[in-house]
Amino acid sequence: MEKLYTASVTAKGGRNGHIKSSDGTIEFDVRKPREMGGQGGATNPEQLFAAAWGPCYLGALAAVAEHDGVDASEATVEVHVSFNQDGNSFLLSADLDVHIPGISVEETQKLADKANRVCPYSKATKGNIETRVTAI
């Protein structure tokens, strides 16, 4: 395996803290959402994870679509990352809603499933979090 790029972010203060990337392009506070008893008013780890997974997934979708002769340049994905409690433990789940204009829902679902098999974020979460990928 050849490393092509390494991102580096420093986090302080946990869910009510601050994050900053080594190159300074990302720097902001994070807050526990109100729905989890926090003050809200800032981003949170689940939003950040969804924000990172979405573009990565669309890159994979574009690659598999191009291979199949489909233009997916206008595709969108809504990534919903949920923080869940199961007894005394916590876990994530995710829903990815995929839309490719100009093709059927069935064809979109086939490409969405292929993209889910090759996306690095999808591969990293496979078997670790419950994930649903649905063409819309």
Side-chain angles (χ1 to χ4, degrees), residues 73-124:
S73 60
E74 297 298 317
T76 59
V77 62
E78 266 190 43
V79 181
H80 307 271
V81 174
S82 299
F83 186 89
N84 308 287
Q85 185 169 2
D86 184 19
N88 290 328
S89 69
F90 301 99
L91 51 120
L92 299 176
S93 62
D95 296 302
L96 283 70
D97 295 329
V98 183
H99 177 68
I100 305 174
I103 67 171
S104 71
V105 171
E106 293 78 16
E107 183 62 21
T108 298
Q109 187 66 55
K110 288 178 188 173
L111 291 171
D113 290 339
K114 285 182 183 180
N116 195 49
R117 288 192 293 273
V118 300
C119 169
Y121 277 77
S122 298
K123 289 197 281 186

Side-chain angles (χ1 to χ4, degrees), residues 15 31-42 44 46-47 83 85:
R15 285 190 167 271
R31 297 284 178 259
K32 185 187 286 188
R34 285 183 182 90
E35 297 85 349
M36 293 173 56
Q39 72 183 49
N44 58 66
E46 292 71 35
Q47 287 177 334
F83 186 89
Q85 185 169 2

Side-chain angles (χ1 to χ4, degrees), residues 5-14 17-30 43-45 48-49 52 121:
Y5 170 74
T6 300
S8 180
V9 175
T10 300
K12 295 180 183 178
H18 190 82
I19 61 173
K20 182 179 180 180
S21 64
S22 60
D23 65 2
T25 60
I26 294 175
E27 182 173 10
F28 46 82
D29 292 334
V30 294
T43 193
N44 58 66
L48 293 170
F49 190 57
Y121 277 77

